[in-house]
Short mmCIF file of all heavy atoms in Angstrom, two decimals:
data_model
loop_
_atom_site.label_atom_id
_atom_site.label_comp_id
_atom_site.label_asym_id
_atom_site.label_seq_id
_atom_site.Cartn_x
_atom_site.Cartn_y
_atom_site.Cartn_z
N LEU F 1 0.83 -1.20 0.00
CA LEU F 1 0.00 0.00 0.00
C LEU F 1 0.87 1.25 0.00
O LEU F 1 1.75 1.42 0.86
CB LEU F 1 -0.91 0.00 1.23
CG LEU F 1 -1.76 1.25 1.46
CD1 LEU F 1 -2.71 1.49 0.29
CD2 LEU F 1 -2.52 1.13 2.78
N ILE F 2 0.65 2.15 -0.95
CA ILE F 2 1.41 3.40 -1.01
C ILE F 2 0.81 4.37 0.01
O ILE F 2 -0.33 4.81 -0.12
CB ILE F 2 1.35 4.01 -2.42
CG1 ILE F 2 2.00 3.07 -3.44
CG2 ILE F 2 2.04 5.37 -2.44
CD1 ILE F 2 1.94 3.58 -4.87
N SER F 3 1.61 4.70 1.02
CA SER F 3 1.15 5.64 2.05
C SER F 3 1.57 7.07 1.73
O SER F 3 1.02 8.02 2.26
CB SER F 3 1.71 5.24 3.42
OG SER F 3 3.12 5.21 3.40
N ASP F 4 2.56 7.23 0.84
CA ASP F 4 2.97 8.57 0.43
C ASP F 4 3.78 8.44 -0.86
O ASP F 4 4.39 7.40 -1.13
CB ASP F 4 3.82 9.24 1.51
CG ASP F 4 3.82 10.76 1.36
OD1 ASP F 4 3.15 11.27 0.44
OD2 ASP F 4 4.49 11.43 2.16
N VAL F 5 3.76 9.49 -1.65
CA VAL F 5 4.51 9.54 -2.91
C VAL F 5 5.45 10.73 -2.86
O VAL F 5 5.03 11.85 -2.54
CB VAL F 5 3.56 9.67 -4.12
CG1 VAL F 5 4.36 9.74 -5.42
CG2 VAL F 5 2.59 8.50 -4.17
N VAL F 6 6.72 10.50 -3.14
CA VAL F 6 7.72 11.58 -3.12
C VAL F 6 7.44 12.54 -4.29
O VAL F 6 7.34 12.11 -5.44
CB VAL F 6 9.14 11.02 -3.22
CG1 VAL F 6 10.17 12.15 -3.27
CG2 VAL F 6 9.42 10.09 -2.04
N GLU F 7 7.32 13.82 -3.95
CA GLU F 7 7.02 14.80 -4.98
C GLU F 7 8.11 14.84 -6.04
O GLU F 7 9.31 14.87 -5.72
CB GLU F 7 6.89 16.19 -4.33
CG GLU F 7 6.43 17.27 -5.29
CD GLU F 7 6.22 18.61 -4.60
OE1 GLU F 7 6.39 18.67 -3.36
OE2 GLU F 7 5.90 19.59 -5.31
N ASP F 8 7.69 14.81 -7.31
CA ASP F 8 8.59 14.83 -8.46
C ASP F 8 9.48 13.59 -8.55
O ASP F 8 10.45 13.57 -9.31
CB ASP F 8 9.48 16.08 -8.46
CG ASP F 8 8.67 17.34 -8.70
OD1 ASP F 8 7.67 17.27 -9.44
OD2 ASP F 8 9.04 18.39 -8.15
N GLY F 9 9.15 12.55 -7.78
CA GLY F 9 9.88 11.30 -7.88
C GLY F 9 9.37 10.46 -9.05
O GLY F 9 8.39 10.83 -9.72
N PRO F 10 9.99 9.34 -9.33
CA PRO F 10 9.58 8.51 -10.47
C PRO F 10 8.11 8.10 -10.42
O PRO F 10 7.41 8.16 -11.44
CB PRO F 10 10.50 7.28 -10.34
CG PRO F 10 11.70 7.78 -9.63
CD PRO F 10 11.20 8.80 -8.67
N ALA F 11 7.62 7.67 -9.26
CA ALA F 11 6.22 7.25 -9.15
C ALA F 11 5.27 8.42 -9.37
O ALA F 11 4.23 8.29 -10.03
CB ALA F 11 5.97 6.61 -7.80
N ASP F 12 5.63 9.57 -8.80
CA ASP F 12 4.80 10.76 -8.94
C ASP F 12 4.68 11.18 -10.41
O ASP F 12 3.59 11.47 -10.91
CB ASP F 12 5.40 11.89 -8.10
CG ASP F 12 4.53 13.14 -8.09
OD1 ASP F 12 3.29 12.99 -8.13
OD2 ASP F 12 5.08 14.25 -8.05
N LYS F 13 5.81 11.16 -11.11
CA LYS F 13 5.80 11.54 -12.52
C LYS F 13 5.00 10.57 -13.37
O LYS F 13 4.43 10.96 -14.40
CB LYS F 13 7.24 11.64 -13.03
CG LYS F 13 8.04 12.77 -12.42
CD LYS F 13 9.47 12.76 -12.92
CE LYS F 13 10.27 13.91 -12.30
NZ LYS F 13 11.70 13.89 -12.75
N ALA F 14 4.95 9.29 -12.95
CA ALA F 14 4.22 8.28 -13.72
C ALA F 14 2.73 8.28 -13.42
O ALA F 14 1.96 7.67 -14.16
CB ALA F 14 4.81 6.90 -13.44
N GLY F 15 2.32 8.94 -12.33
CA GLY F 15 0.90 9.03 -12.02
C GLY F 15 0.42 8.18 -10.86
O GLY F 15 -0.78 8.10 -10.60
N LEU F 16 1.33 7.53 -10.12
CA LEU F 16 0.91 6.76 -8.95
C LEU F 16 0.49 7.70 -7.83
O LEU F 16 1.03 8.82 -7.71
CB LEU F 16 2.04 5.84 -8.47
CG LEU F 16 2.13 4.47 -9.17
CD1 LEU F 16 2.59 4.63 -10.61
CD2 LEU F 16 3.07 3.53 -8.43
N ARG F 17 -0.45 7.25 -7.00
CA ARG F 17 -0.99 8.09 -5.94
C ARG F 17 -0.99 7.38 -4.59
O ARG F 17 -0.91 6.15 -4.52
CB ARG F 17 -2.44 8.47 -6.25
CG ARG F 17 -2.68 9.15 -7.58
CD ARG F 17 -4.17 9.34 -7.76
NE ARG F 17 -4.52 9.83 -9.09
CZ ARG F 17 -5.77 9.87 -9.56
NH1 ARG F 17 -6.76 9.45 -8.80
NH2 ARG F 17 -6.01 10.31 -10.78
N ARG F 18 -1.10 8.19 -3.53
CA ARG F 18 -1.31 7.63 -2.20
C ARG F 18 -2.62 6.84 -2.20
O ARG F 18 -3.64 7.30 -2.72
CB ARG F 18 -1.37 8.74 -1.17
CG ARG F 18 -1.56 8.22 0.26
CD ARG F 18 -1.84 9.34 1.24
NE ARG F 18 -0.70 10.24 1.40
CZ ARG F 18 -0.70 11.50 1.07
NH1 ARG F 18 -1.78 12.04 0.51
NH2 ARG F 18 0.36 12.25 1.27
N GLY F 19 -2.60 5.65 -1.63
CA GLY F 19 -3.79 4.80 -1.60
C GLY F 19 -3.78 3.71 -2.66
O GLY F 19 -4.56 2.76 -2.58
N ASP F 20 -2.90 3.85 -3.67
CA ASP F 20 -2.74 2.76 -4.65
C ASP F 20 -2.09 1.56 -3.96
O ASP F 20 -1.23 1.72 -3.08
CB ASP F 20 -1.85 3.21 -5.81
CG ASP F 20 -2.55 4.19 -6.75
OD1 ASP F 20 -3.79 4.31 -6.65
OD2 ASP F 20 -1.86 4.83 -7.56
N ILE F 21 -2.48 0.38 -4.40
CA ILE F 21 -1.88 -0.85 -3.87
C ILE F 21 -1.11 -1.51 -5.00
O ILE F 21 -1.70 -1.94 -6.00
CB ILE F 21 -2.94 -1.81 -3.31
CG1 ILE F 21 -3.69 -1.15 -2.15
CG2 ILE F 21 -2.28 -3.11 -2.84
CD1 ILE F 21 -4.83 -1.99 -1.61
N ILE F 22 0.20 -1.58 -4.87
CA ILE F 22 1.04 -2.18 -5.90
C ILE F 22 0.94 -3.70 -5.79
O ILE F 22 1.29 -4.28 -4.75
CB ILE F 22 2.51 -1.72 -5.75
CG1 ILE F 22 2.61 -0.20 -5.91
CG2 ILE F 22 3.40 -2.43 -6.78
CD1 ILE F 22 4.00 0.35 -5.68
N VAL F 23 0.49 -4.34 -6.85
CA VAL F 23 0.32 -5.80 -6.85
C VAL F 23 1.24 -6.48 -7.85
O VAL F 23 1.36 -7.71 -7.85
CB VAL F 23 -1.15 -6.19 -7.13
CG1 VAL F 23 -2.05 -5.74 -5.99
CG2 VAL F 23 -1.62 -5.61 -8.47
N GLU F 24 1.89 -5.68 -8.71
CA GLU F 24 2.79 -6.27 -9.69
C GLU F 24 3.84 -5.23 -10.08
O GLU F 24 3.52 -4.06 -10.28
CB GLU F 24 2.01 -6.72 -10.92
CG GLU F 24 2.78 -7.64 -11.86
CD GLU F 24 1.88 -8.17 -12.97
OE1 GLU F 24 0.86 -8.81 -12.65
OE2 GLU F 24 2.20 -7.91 -14.15
N PHE F 25 5.10 -5.69 -10.16
CA PHE F 25 6.19 -4.79 -10.54
C PHE F 25 7.05 -5.49 -11.58
O PHE F 25 7.65 -6.53 -11.30
CB PHE F 25 7.03 -4.42 -9.31
CG PHE F 25 8.13 -3.43 -9.60
CD1 PHE F 25 7.91 -2.07 -9.47
CD2 PHE F 25 9.39 -3.87 -10.01
CE1 PHE F 25 8.92 -1.16 -9.74
CE2 PHE F 25 10.40 -2.97 -10.28
CZ PHE F 25 10.17 -1.61 -10.15
N ASP F 26 7.08 -4.94 -12.78
CA ASP F 26 7.88 -5.49 -13.88
C ASP F 26 7.60 -6.98 -14.09
O ASP F 26 8.53 -7.78 -14.26
CB ASP F 26 9.37 -5.26 -13.62
CG ASP F 26 10.20 -5.43 -14.89
OD1 ASP F 26 9.65 -5.26 -15.99
OD2 ASP F 26 11.40 -5.76 -14.77
N GLY F 27 6.32 -7.34 -14.03
CA GLY F 27 5.93 -8.72 -14.28
C GLY F 27 6.01 -9.64 -13.08
O GLY F 27 5.62 -10.81 -13.17
N GLN F 28 6.50 -9.15 -11.94
CA GLN F 28 6.61 -9.97 -10.73
C GLN F 28 5.49 -9.61 -9.76
O GLN F 28 5.29 -8.44 -9.44
CB GLN F 28 7.96 -9.77 -10.05
CG GLN F 28 9.15 -10.13 -10.93
CD GLN F 28 10.45 -9.99 -10.20
OE1 GLN F 28 10.73 -10.68 -9.21
NE2 GLN F 28 11.30 -9.08 -10.66
N ALA F 29 4.77 -10.62 -9.31
CA ALA F 29 3.67 -10.41 -8.37
C ALA F 29 4.21 -9.93 -7.03
O ALA F 29 5.22 -10.43 -6.53
CB ALA F 29 2.87 -11.68 -8.19
N ILE F 30 3.54 -8.96 -6.43
CA ILE F 30 3.88 -8.45 -5.10
C ILE F 30 2.80 -8.92 -4.13
O ILE F 30 1.70 -8.37 -4.08
CB ILE F 30 3.98 -6.91 -5.08
CG1 ILE F 30 4.95 -6.42 -6.15
CG2 ILE F 30 4.39 -6.42 -3.69
CD1 ILE F 30 6.37 -6.89 -5.98
#
């Protein structure tokens, strides 16, 4: 669970938000 996103960081620039739940990263299940 994303509790915070670093401003102007990679996730922020890609559109990820606080409250998103990451379930897969580069094809690998989380």
Side-chain angles (χ1 to χ4, degrees):
L1 174 61
I2 298 178
S3 58
D4 201 1
V5 179
V6 177
E7 186 176 357
D8 292 327
D12 185 34
K13 293 177 180 178
L16 274 70
R17 304 175 188 169
R18 181 189 294 116
D20 287 346
I21 298 175
I22 299 176
V23 294
E24 194 173 302
F25 184 91
D26 197 24
Q28 300 183 63
I30 306 298

